[in-house]
Amino acid sequence: MCGLAGFFTAQSAFPPEASVDVRAMANAILHRGPDDSGAWLDEAAGIAVAHRRLSILDLSPAGHQPMASTNGRYVLVFNGEIYNHLLLREQLGAVPWRGHSDTETLLAAFETWGIEPTLKMTVGMFAIALWDREHRSLTLARDRLGEKPLYYGFNRGALLFASELKAMRAYPRFDGSIDRGALSLFLRHNAIPAPYSIYQGISKLLPGTFITFKQQDVAEQHQPSVQPYWSAKEVAERGQGFDGSEADCRIELERVLTQSVRGQMLSDVPLGAFLSGGVDSSTVVALMQGQTSRPVKTFTIGFNEEGYNEAEHAHAVARHLHTEHTEWYVTPEEAQAVIPRLPTLYDEPFADSSQIPTFLVSQLARQHVTVSLSGDGGDELFGGYNRYFWAMNIWRRLGWAPRSLRAAVAGILTAFPPAAWNRVFQGFSRLLPAGLRYANPGDKLHKLAEILAVRRPEEIYLGLVSHWKQPAGVVVGGFEPPTILTDRGHWAELPDFEQRMMYLDTVTYLPDDILTKVDRAAMGVSLETRVPLLDHRVLEFAWSLPLSMKIRHGQGKWLLRQVLYQHVPKDLIERPKMGFGIPLDQWLRGPLRDWAEDLLAEDRLRRGGFFDPAPIRGKWAEHLNGRRNWSYYLWDVLMFNAWKRQWH
């Protein structure tokens, strides 16, 4: 885990102060690698690369980057971990190793097998910048699921690349023109989907791909094609190849999960895990505890606000598994104190409000460990999100009705504020079946109302994953460029709509929101996070299973639960799904009201030149008087304006 940065220019444009410039870029992401730094330049070739190191494997100088290959052909800067690097070393045979870092393993593999074959053989999370001195070419590569970030693009005559945008902003000649198309997408999705970034001309490298720039490309400001080395679409379309019994499926899933967890526990520094007490994190921790005789260090945070606290469930699971558990009950003041840091932590506009508790649990873990495993990915792989049940149930039950009737039902649902619906459901909760007991049901009913009048089920999904439904109308000069969600050519051909939703979440929401949130929050405190459920071998096995192994009787993650129940009693796990959230709606009406009013003031919005004030001010007024909960919509605007005030 580290951070990388650099630039590639035409020889005549290579700046005389290049060493200072590239080190400044790397120092801008010091938090990603506080233990060591280095830079390497070739003025004749126009290339400069730099690295910040968080030492995890091989803490000695033998792990220092940038690192050159044995034959001197390649120079590598690398962010991440290669979990199977010891196996790769065995396959590489007699190599005069200088140390035991996975960076050195990668270089030897590139030297022996070439770039694409090496990428296909790796198991890990990574962002790579590899300079080929022989061909004078730069290859950028990103891991299969997008755990590690990598930005690149031409700016003022130079090809810039970096782990975070703040490194690019440290480049002295950087021109950061805001992309209004990307801003429109941000209002819809609360994150900016790859390949876009908030800046014109700067892209995110798509997961599972690499791109190679030659000197002629840089001289002509030409962007070559991005090449895939692995495809989630192909994996999903290959489909249901595992035909064993339910017992066989459970045994095989536990085997591949255990293999992943064992590989990701490789570390030369203290290691632990986040534990929420839910299915995913509990499974990871249970399998971790099975790999060691010492108690696993586990971490959770809690809130005293009703409906937002999972700490008591995590505590019960930790007690059963005998982990060394640490919990922190966060006060509203402690959580709100994180908000001024968000524009720096997420140096691109980002508005998933669970970024706050994610940062807090990372901060807690970093006091005890340098590496923490996370349970992210289970919902996408095994059908855990409520929208997988809601979307098709809504369509099957209401799709036959005229749109006008469905619109009328939507009006009834929104006639009462979410808090009123919460009170109604609370009064009848004991009478409701478990499948209808949701945390914050009022918000979910209002979200349901927004998508009732759709024409086909795909529109339901897009509505459920959207905040602002017409964002280009809110952004001055706004428009929505095509994305994986809107271009059906990128969709996997799958028989069930639930599977199509799971695939789309895997290639969009997971890397663009969930993994971005975790990476920036954890790296903000120099904590490495690892996600065992996203080992690509786990994903490939999950897609080999029929849908009935994932969603059964209105409940998701059926098979994953069967694995977990071998280690943790069912009654410690079974409860309504709860997001990792905060009472944002209440805070915006209370302690955050003055802060929000300043950022949402009509004259500020008008002077900023990016937003039409009318729809924003209208939602702010309705939110304040309790008529509607528009907190998520408003958080999008607040996070952009806070980011803009910090960086522009």
Side-chain angles (χ1 to χ4, degrees):
M1 184 66 65
C2 304
L4 61 88
F7 53 85
F8 186 13
T9 73
Q11 292 167 283
S12 59
F14 198 66
E17 64 281 10
S19 177
V20 174
D21 292 347
V22 77
R23 291 180 187 276
M25 293 175 71
N27 288 339
I29 50 174
L30 170 67
H31 53 282
R32 298 191 75 91
D35 298 331
D36 189 22
S37 66
W40 182 90
L41 300 87
D42 185 339
E43 182 176 354
I47 185 74
V49 296
H51 188 259
R52 294 292 328 188
R53 185 184 182 198
L54 178 64
S55 301
I56 303 294
L57 293 177
D58 194 346
L59 310 186
S60 75
H64 176 80
Q65 297 184 47
M67 185 182 292
S69 61
T70 303
N71 66 2
R73 176 177 174 179
Y74 295 111
V75 177
L76 175 66
V77 284
F78 156 57
N79 165 25
E81 303 289 349
I82 306 301
Y83 303 123
N84 67 332
H85 90 98
L86 295 178
L87 177 60
L88 294 178
R89 287 194 172 206
E90 291 180 12
Q91 295 171 335
L92 285 164
V95 173
W97 301 110
R98 294 163 287 180
H100 64 271
S101 74
D102 50 357
T103 310
E104 188 181 3
T105 306
L106 271 180
L107 277 166
F110 289 137
E111 195 175 69
T112 304
W113 300 319
I115 293 173
E116 186 171 358
T118 295
L119 294 174
K120 289 180 176 180
M121 294 176 72
T122 57
V123 177
M125 56 174 185
F126 53 82
I128 288 170
L130 180 72
W131 175 249
D132 184 336
R133 300 175 76 176
E134 180 178 322
H135 292 142
R136 292 195 170 187
S137 63
L138 174 72
T139 296
L140 306 176
R142 193 176 180 201
D143 64 64
R144 293 171 178 84
L145 276 302
E147 291 184 56
K148 294 295 101 188
L150 187 53
Y151 293 85
Y152 69 98
F154 289 106
N155 196 281
R156 295 287 180 90
L159 174 69
L160 307 181
F161 53 94
S163 297
E164 295 185 24
L165 288 177
K166 58 173 64 73
M168 291 188 172
R169 282 193 292 265
Y171 184 70
R173 289 155 291 283
F174 182 73
D175 175 20
S177 298
I178 292 174
D179 186 330
R180 292 174 187 260
L183 177 56
S184 301
L185 292 174
F186 168 68
L187 290 192
R188 180 177 291 280
H189 300 295
N190 77 258
I192 298 174
Y196 306 105
S197 85
I198 192 61
Y199 293 127
Q200 295 177 17
I202 302 297
S203 302
K204 300 183 184 83
L205 188 62
L206 289 167
T209 69
F210 66 98
I211 186 171
T212 299
F213 291 88
K214 298 180 179 178
Q215 281 197 316
Q216 186 175 353
D217 296 320
V218 174
E220 298 175 357
Q221 305 284 282
H222 168 258
Q223 184 165 303
S225 298
V226 174
Q227 302 296 317
Y229 65 89
W230 182 86
S231 168
K233 182 174 183 286
E234 291 179 3
V235 170
E237 289 178 340
R238 246 188 341 259
Q240 304 168 14
F242 193 88
D243 58 358
S245 66
E246 289 183 356
D248 293 335
C249 290
R250 178 186 61 76
I251 291 169
E252 180 61 12
L253 177 57
E254 181 154 1
R255 185 192 70 79
V256 295
L257 285 174
T258 300
Q259 173 185 248
S260 174
V261 167
R262 183 186 303 118
Q264 298 199 22
M265 291 179 70
L266 182 65
S267 175
D268 293 336
V269 293
L271 175 143
F274 300 143
L275 179 62
S276 70
V279 173
D280 304 338
S281 66
S282 298
T283 301
V284 169
V285 170
L287 296 179
M288 289 177 71
Q289 194 59 74
Q291 305 296 311
T292 178
S293 59
R294 294 182 296 180
V296 172
K297 297 178 186 293
T298 55
F299 308 95
T300 190
I301 62 167
F303 293 96
N304 291 309
E305 288 85 352
E306 185 178 353
Y308 296 92
N309 182 39
E310 290 190 300
E312 57 190 31
H313 306 296
H315 184 81
V317 172
R319 185 170 59 246
H320 176 80
L321 293 173
H322 304 291
T323 71
E324 183 182 327
H325 191 57
T326 303
E327 63 183 21
W328 173 22
Y329 271 80
V330 178
T331 67
E333 293 74 21
E334 288 170 326
Q336 292 158 26
V338 176
I339 293 173
R341 301 184 62 175
L342 294 177
T344 301
L345 288 168
Y346 296 86
D347 65 345
E348 179 172 59
F350 185 82
D352 181 338
S353 61
S354 63
Q355 62 202 128
I356 295 174
T358 302
F359 174 78
L360 290 167
V361 75
S362 299
Q363 191 176 52
L364 174 65
R366 188 62 179 92
Q367 296 171 19
H368 304 269
V369 298
T370 310
V371 178
S372 184
L373 273 60
S374 166
D376 294 300
D379 290 306
E380 292 83 0
L381 269 60
F382 296 98
Y385 289 128
N386 290 328
R387 56 176 165 263
Y388 302 149
F389 323 124
W390 277 57
M392 284 310 296
N393 285 341
I394 292 167
W395 188 250
R396 289 174 184 136
R397 296 179 184 184
L398 299 176
W400 59 269
R403 291 182 67 202
S404 58
L405 177 59
R406 286 184 269 136
V409 172
I412 294 172
L413 293 176
T414 56
F416 301 95
W421 284 115
N422 288 344
R423 289 192 292 271
V424 170
F425 273 78
Q426 187 175 15
F428 290 96
S429 62
R430 293 183 179 179
L431 304 178
L432 293 173
L436 292 178
R437 297 176 192 168
Y438 296 105
N440 303 310
D443 285 343
K444 292 177 172 60
L445 285 177
H446 275 243
K447 183 176 284 190
L448 167 63
E450 292 176 350
I451 48 91
L452 273 179
V454 299
R455 287 177 287 268
R456 51 185 178 272
E458 286 80 4
E459 292 181 13
I460 297 177
Y461 173 73
L462 183 59
L464 289 173
V465 298
S466 298
H467 283 194
W468 294 84
K469 303 303 184 285
Q470 301 295 331
V474 181
V475 177
V476 176
F479 63 97
E480 289 192 73
T483 66
I484 293 174
L485 292 181
T486 58
D487 183 354
R488 293 199 60 146
H490 290 291
W491 291 25
E493 294 295 327
L494 298 167
D496 299 295
F497 185 55
E498 292 91 340
Q499 289 181 315
R500 295 199 293 276
M501 287 189 286
M502 290 164 60
Y503 165 74
L504 289 172
D505 277 343
T506 299
V507 296
T508 59
Y509 179 65
L510 179 64
D512 296 330
D513 185 315
I514 300 298
L515 296 178
T516 298
K517 173 185 67 181
V518 174
D519 174 82
R520 304 305 194 279
M523 291 311 301
V525 293
S526 303
L527 175 76
E528 173 173 300
T529 49
R530 300 176 178 177
V531 191
L533 294 177
L534 295 185
D535 183 311
H536 71 277
R537 297 166 299 185
V538 176
L539 181 142
E540 289 169 357
F541 176 71
W543 275 106
S544 76
L545 300 171
L547 185 62
S548 61
M549 289 289 180
K550 303 168 188 175
I551 299 176
R552 189 174 295 193
H553 306 308
Q555 186 180 58
K557 298 190 273 198
W558 182 83
L559 187 61
L560 191 60
R561 292 173 190 271
Q562 307 318 303
V563 172
L564 176 58
Y565 297 155
Q566 304 301 306
H567 306 273
V568 177
K570 185 176 181 179
D571 60 1
L572 292 185
I573 301 298
E574 291 298 328
R575 61 183 185 277
K577 183 175 177 61
M578 182 187 299
F580 196 33
I582 56 173
L584 183 61
D585 58 331
Q586 302 169 33
W587 289 0
L588 288 176
R589 295 188 187 101
L592 296 181
R593 179 170 178 168
D594 290 344
W595 168 80
E597 180 61 59
D598 177 53
L599 289 172
L600 299 177
E602 183 168 355
D603 61 337
R604 176 185 288 275
L605 294 172
R606 200 174 303 282
R607 280 186 284 106
F610 286 98
F611 297 122
D612 176 1
I616 297 169
R617 294 296 301 177
K619 282 182 167 48
W620 180 230
E622 288 190 353
H623 186 81
L624 289 178
N625 65 29
R627 180 72 182 79
R628 291 289 302 272
N629 176 10
W630 294 117
S631 57
Y632 298 118
Y633 293 68
L634 296 167
W635 194 246
D636 297 337
V637 180
L638 288 165
M639 286 294 95
F640 174 79
N641 279 346
W643 171 85
K644 184 171 176 288
R645 184 164 63 181
Q646 172 76 23
W647 296 110
H648 288 267

